[in-house]
Amino acid sequence: MEKINSITTIPAMEQVKQAQELKQLKAAGESLEKTAGNADTARGASKLKDACVQFEAMFLDLMYKEMRKTVPEDSLLGDSNADNILRSMHDTEMTKNLAQAGGVGLADMLYRQIQKQDVKPPLMAVNTYKK
């Protein structure tokens, strides 16, 4: 009969222990999600929708800034720094309002994709790992 080498069995034992701890951690996370359940679902969906709308507004603002770079400067009325700042602020507010009014559909598409993936809010994940 061969003698078992204790040096090679220690890493295997550690892996088994880590796998058991991982199972316990997953079980704790699932029970926490079940108890958090419905109250956080509506609030989380609302926050997700708001984040998607803000992302669309940011994307549209970036797109407008890049489009403005392609337009030649108007030398007749002047193109001062104040005019550029005012135009940038106007574009930012316009893109925020555009995104809140429905935008180009990027926020809705992003919301549906993330909702399908069942992404957990970061705080729930942090609370799960604290136990």
Side-chain angles (χ1 to χ4, degrees):
M1 193 183 283
E2 289 185 29
K3 189 175 181 181
I4 298 175
N5 188 351
S6 62
I7 294 175
T8 59
T9 58
I10 292 174
M13 294 167 80
E14 288 293 325
Q15 288 178 352
V16 169
K17 187 177 178 182
Q18 288 176 354
Q20 289 172 345
E21 289 174 354
L22 183 61
K23 285 181 184 177
Q24 291 173 350
L25 188 62
K26 286 181 180 179
E30 289 172 2
S31 67
L32 182 63
E33 287 174 14
K34 288 178 184 176
T35 55
N38 295 335
D40 287 337
T41 303
R43 187 174 57 213
S46 174
K47 286 183 178 183
L48 177 62
K49 184 67 175 172
D50 289 342
C52 291
V53 169
Q54 289 174 4
F55 178 81
E56 182 175 10
M58 183 181 66
F59 178 78
L60 290 174
D61 188 43
L62 182 64
M63 189 174 69
Y64 266 72
K65 286 179 183 176
E66 291 300 315
M67 288 190 319
R68 287 255 185 228
K69 289 179 184 177
T70 64
V71 176
E73 294 181 8
D74 185 17
S75 60
L76 180 63
L77 299 175
D79 200 27
S80 68
N81 193 29
D83 290 335
N84 291 335
I85 292 171
L86 182 62
R87 191 175 301 117
S88 175
M89 290 171 57
H90 177 265
D91 289 346
T92 301
E93 283 302 312
M94 182 179 62
T95 55
K96 283 182 188 177
N97 291 335
L98 179 65
Q100 288 174 351
V104 295
L106 180 63
D108 293 330
M109 183 178 62
L110 189 61
Y111 176 76
R112 286 192 307 266
Q113 287 293 321
I114 293 174
Q115 200 172 29
K116 281 182 190 176
Q117 293 177 358
D118 191 30
V119 176
K120 293 166 186 57
L123 291 178
M124 286 183 81
V126 169
N127 290 336
T128 301
Y129 291 114
K130 283 185 180 179
K131 288 189 175 184

